[in-house]
Amino acid sequence: MNFKSLTDTFTLENGVKIPCIGFGTWQSADGEEAYNAVLSALKNGYRHIDTAAAYENEESVGKAINDFLKESGVKREELFITTKLWNDDHGYDSTKKALETSLKKLNLDYLDLYLIHWPNPLKFRDCWEEKNAESWKAMEEAYKKGILKSIGVSNFCERHLNALYKTAEIRPMVNQIKVCPGQPQTDIVKFSKENKMVVEGYSPLGTGKIFLSEEMQNLSKKYNRSIAQICVRWSLERGVLPLPKSVHEERIVENSRIFDFELESSDSELIAGLTNLEIRPNRNPDEAPF
């Protein structure tokens, strides 16, 4: 994959093109913070925006998107917008209502990608497989109507995907999981790709602790790039679509300037194997307290 710009794309199983770096909005506060961050990202060339009902910022994200479209002359079809179904809304009817709510908050006629956010919510822990199947049916119907251009999942492990495959008419096109230095998620990345999914990696920088890593500081000097840029580049070179997040314009721009260098394979493996970053372990979806 020889990506050269923010508008270069992965291709989903259904032929839909998805820009190779997404702009994440998790923990961007609703209101001016989320609005300004998304507007800044769009003005600086990002064309892929990722949010979720659970982030509670869809209205601000949507306002930024629509204001940008009005001001820039960029067409809606040039953007790729993702949101996600929250845990309390699993089930056929609930999913339909949740999707309508997200579209209204975002002020959009359609979504480029809709994801089941978590596979095994606490509310449905004794019937998660059935509820996922019901939600997926509702998403398949919206997909067939063109309301959703693609559908997928988030935080799904192999066992959750295999359960969904029992009833799915249309297989997930994306699996969004946490992928960052020291947590390459090799097995589920491999399984997802073998099942023709594009893997998106959220939290590509892990946590702020990564900036204290001596190994990452040395790599920053070696490549004359910021640690954040090295993290984003690392994900992309592993075939994982990164979703960096920031609310500061200089960082938003910096995180996108990763197309003019390559990591040596030995450095890529070093990053994957880091164990001293104090990053919270990947959460087991079957034990998540929500």
Side-chain angles (χ1 to χ4, degrees):
M1 299 180 183
N2 188 22
F3 298 112
K4 296 181 179 179
S5 74
L6 284 169
T7 54
D8 285 351
T9 58
F10 288 84
T11 302
L12 301 181
E13 178 64 11
N14 64 344
V16 167
K17 306 290 187 181
I18 176 170
C20 64
I21 295 180
F23 182 72
T25 62
W26 181 50
Q27 296 182 326
S28 293
D30 196 36
E32 286 189 9
E33 183 173 273
Y35 174 84
N36 289 333
V38 171
L39 190 60
S40 176
L42 291 168
K43 287 181 175 180
N44 283 288
Y46 289 81
R47 294 294 178 262
H48 176 179
I49 306 296
D50 180 274
T51 187
Y55 301 169
E56 299 183 340
N57 60 15
E58 286 176 311
E59 290 184 2
S60 299
V61 170
K63 186 176 187 303
I65 290 167
N66 283 284
D67 285 355
F68 173 75
L69 291 173
K70 291 174 188 175
E71 297 167 5
S72 67
V74 171
K75 296 179 181 178
R76 166 66 182 93
E77 53 266 32
E78 295 178 52
L79 303 185
F80 193 100
I81 311 301
T82 301
T83 194
K84 310 176 189 78
L85 174 73
W86 184 234
N87 294 356
D88 292 344
D89 297 318
H90 285 211
Y92 179 77
D93 290 329
S94 296
T95 297
K96 291 175 69 173
K97 291 176 183 176
L99 174 56
E100 289 176 8
T101 298
S102 285
L103 284 167
K104 185 176 180 180
K105 286 184 175 181
L106 288 162
N107 193 21
L108 297 175
D109 296 325
Y110 70 90
L111 290 166
D112 299 277
L113 177 62
Y114 196 53
L115 305 176
I116 298 178
H117 204 154
W118 287 88
N120 191 355
L122 185 61
K123 182 178 178 180
F124 303 110
R125 194 134 293 171
D126 59 345
C127 57
W128 64 268
E129 185 172 344
E130 175 188 350
K131 289 299 180 182
N132 282 348
E134 291 177 9
S135 291
W136 195 252
K137 180 181 179 183
M139 291 164 64
E140 288 177 329
E141 290 178 1
Y143 173 76
K144 292 174 183 177
K145 292 177 182 177
I147 298 169
L148 304 176
K149 300 302 181 184
S150 52
I151 51 180
V153 296
S154 179
N155 298 298
F156 273 53
C157 302
E158 183 173 341
R159 59 188 175 276
H160 307 117
L161 287 164
N162 282 330
L164 188 61
Y165 291 155
K166 294 176 185 177
T167 56
E169 181 181 338
I170 301 166
R171 287 196 165 203
M173 300 153 195
V174 168
N175 191 8
Q176 184 180 122
I177 58 178
K178 183 179 179 181
V179 177
C180 62
Q183 296 183 16
Q185 297 256 56
T186 304
D187 291 342
I188 187 57
V189 168
K190 182 174 183 288
F191 181 83
S192 298
K193 289 181 179 181
E194 288 174 347
N195 283 274
K196 300 180 179 180
M197 282 177 274
V198 167
V199 177
E200 295 184 334
Y202 67 80
S203 297
L205 310 186
T207 68
K209 294 288 185 180
I210 196 167
F211 298 100
L212 303 178
S213 164
E214 184 178 349
E215 293 92 340
M216 293 301 294
Q217 291 171 358
N218 290 337
L219 290 174
S220 177
K221 294 174 184 175
K222 176 178 178 178
Y223 291 98
N224 194 27
R225 295 293 187 274
S226 71
I227 288 175
Q229 287 173 318
I230 289 172
C231 290
V232 176
R233 181 72 198 183
W234 173 80
S235 288
L236 200 57
E237 288 187 5
R238 295 178 77 87
V240 172
L241 192 160
L243 300 167
K245 173 259 178 184
S246 180
V247 296
H248 304 290
E249 184 168 21
E250 66 274 14
R251 298 279 174 78
I252 291 170
V253 172
E254 176 187 290
N255 291 343
S256 71
R257 292 181 174 169
I258 54 90
F259 298 101
D260 58 350
F261 73 102
E262 295 181 7
L263 298 171
E264 295 177 9
S265 58
S266 59
D267 291 332
S268 180
E269 292 308 309
L270 182 153
I271 294 169
L274 289 173
T275 58
N276 59 345
L277 300 179
E278 298 184 38
I279 297 171
R280 187 178 69 186
N282 291 312
R283 191 186 293 276
N284 181 345
D286 298 322
E287 299 176 354
F290 45 75

